[in-house]
Amino acid sequence: MGMTRPLVVITRPLAQAQELAQRTQLLGRSVALFPLLDILPLPDPAPLRAALRELERYALLAFVSPNAIDAALSVQPDWPVSVPLAVVGEGSRAALARHGLTADRYTIHSPRNRDRTDSETLLEELDLPALAGKDVLIIRGETGRELLGDALRNAGVRVTTVAAYRRQAPALTPAKRAELQHLLHGQNDWVVTSSEALRFWMQMVEQLDDAEGVAKMQQQRLIVPHVRIAEIAHSFGFSKIIQSRSGDDGLLAALQSLS
């Protein structure tokens, strides 16, 4: 009999994990869902609703994540085709497509370098001189990087930033604590698609009644879609890190290449 392949642990929020889990199972891999982020609605959606009532005054609408797209489109399902859109990754392009916002009808800017998709590479695709003096709306979570907004402001763009959702660490319930301890007991492949999720994971492990918990975590193999997540993982002591291309196709290709 052959050796049992490692379990694939998908750490995305549950709403985003299902399709990747199904496609991973089609590769013949066993999957566990262990969300390291909860995505929650805003306590007060009024600022988001107000911003979305004025979409046509913006020269560009930028989304920082699929969560931003899903949250905004649930509030305002009709988007003007005349206003260009900007996203930072393949997952966000797929989220736009689920809502009917596709490149055959909308102008969609996104990084062309699929090995690195982030605010830095998105900025390379934007015509910053043409945006100077104009209004851009950035739709994001309550917290996150300021690089995109700061770079646009430095280029003379009038930037409005509005939150569409909030992120938080899942509660470490007794059941989740037991599941985490069980997963750390073996050697598994963990798909981690967020730097914040990686930090929350470390915080969870540090709360376990296990003196070797952090060491066990550092021995897990990570599949991450971005160099920044890989860098943070290295700083946390991980050594088995596979960096994939952006998007689910990139993650699946990386998983398929592993023995």
Side-chain angles (χ1 to χ4, degrees):
M1 296 180 62
M3 294 179 61
T4 301
R5 301 184 76 184
L7 186 69
V8 177
V9 185
I10 297 176
T11 65
R12 283 177 173 170
L14 279 177
Q16 297 178 8
Q18 302 294 339
E19 182 178 354
L20 180 59
Q22 293 170 1
R23 295 182 66 186
T24 302
Q25 289 170 331
L26 291 176
L27 298 178
R29 301 292 301 270
S30 297
V31 173
L33 300 182
F34 191 82
L36 292 173
L37 274 176
D38 283 341
I39 304 299
L40 303 175
L42 298 172
D44 180 12
L48 174 63
R49 293 182 184 277
L52 297 184
R53 283 196 293 267
E54 303 181 297
L55 292 178
E56 292 189 353
R57 79 176 179 87
Y58 294 105
L60 182 71
L61 307 173
F63 301 92
V64 303
S65 68
N67 289 313
I69 293 167
D70 291 338
L73 270 293
S74 69
V75 172
Q76 176 63 42
D78 298 319
W79 289 70
V81 296
S82 59
V83 182
L85 310 175
V87 296
V88 297
E90 293 300 314
S92 291
R93 270 191 172 272
L96 287 176
R98 288 197 301 271
H99 293 280
L101 280 65
T102 53
D104 60 332
R105 296 183 61 225
Y106 292 82
T107 299
I108 303 175
H109 300 284
S110 64
R112 281 178 285 184
N113 180 1
R114 295 189 65 189
D115 292 327
R116 177 163 182 164
T117 56
D118 54 17
S119 296
E120 289 91 337
T121 49
L122 173 60
L123 285 164
E124 294 173 1
E125 304 300 327
L126 300 178
D127 187 346
L128 297 182
L131 290 172
K134 297 179 180 178
D135 293 296
V136 168
L137 178 64
I138 299 177
I139 303 173
R140 51 172 284 177
E142 280 188 320
T143 60
R145 301 176 77 204
E146 303 292 342
L147 188 145
L148 179 61
D150 288 346
L152 290 171
R153 292 185 186 94
N154 290 337
V157 180
R158 295 191 298 267
V159 177
T160 299
T161 300
V162 63
Y165 63 96
R166 60 173 32 179
R167 295 184 294 259
Q168 70 178 31
L172 190 59
T173 63
K176 197 168 184 74
R177 179 188 295 270
E179 183 180 8
L180 179 55
Q181 289 175 318
H182 173 72
L183 290 171
L184 293 179
H185 184 72
Q187 296 292 306
N188 300 307
D189 290 334
W190 293 67
V191 176
V192 181
T193 56
S194 160
S195 300
E196 194 167 19
L198 190 58
R199 294 187 181 95
F200 287 155
W201 186 20
M202 175 66 79
Q203 292 169 10
M204 286 183 184
V205 172
E206 290 174 341
Q207 295 177 53
L208 297 178
D209 298 323
D210 186 345
E212 298 180 355
V214 171
K216 292 176 181 177
M217 183 183 75
Q218 292 167 334
Q219 292 302 309
Q220 303 296 310
R221 184 161 58 182
L222 304 189
I223 298 89
V224 304
H226 194 278
V227 63
R228 190 170 63 252
I229 307 175
E231 289 169 351
I232 293 172
H234 276 297
S235 74
F236 285 169
F238 289 91
S239 58
K240 303 173 184 176
I241 304 170
I242 308 296
Q243 186 181 328
S244 74
R245 290 182 288 106
S246 173
D248 286 4
D249 288 347
L251 292 167
L252 291 163
L255 285 169
Q256 197 165 23
S257 70
L258 299 175
S259 58

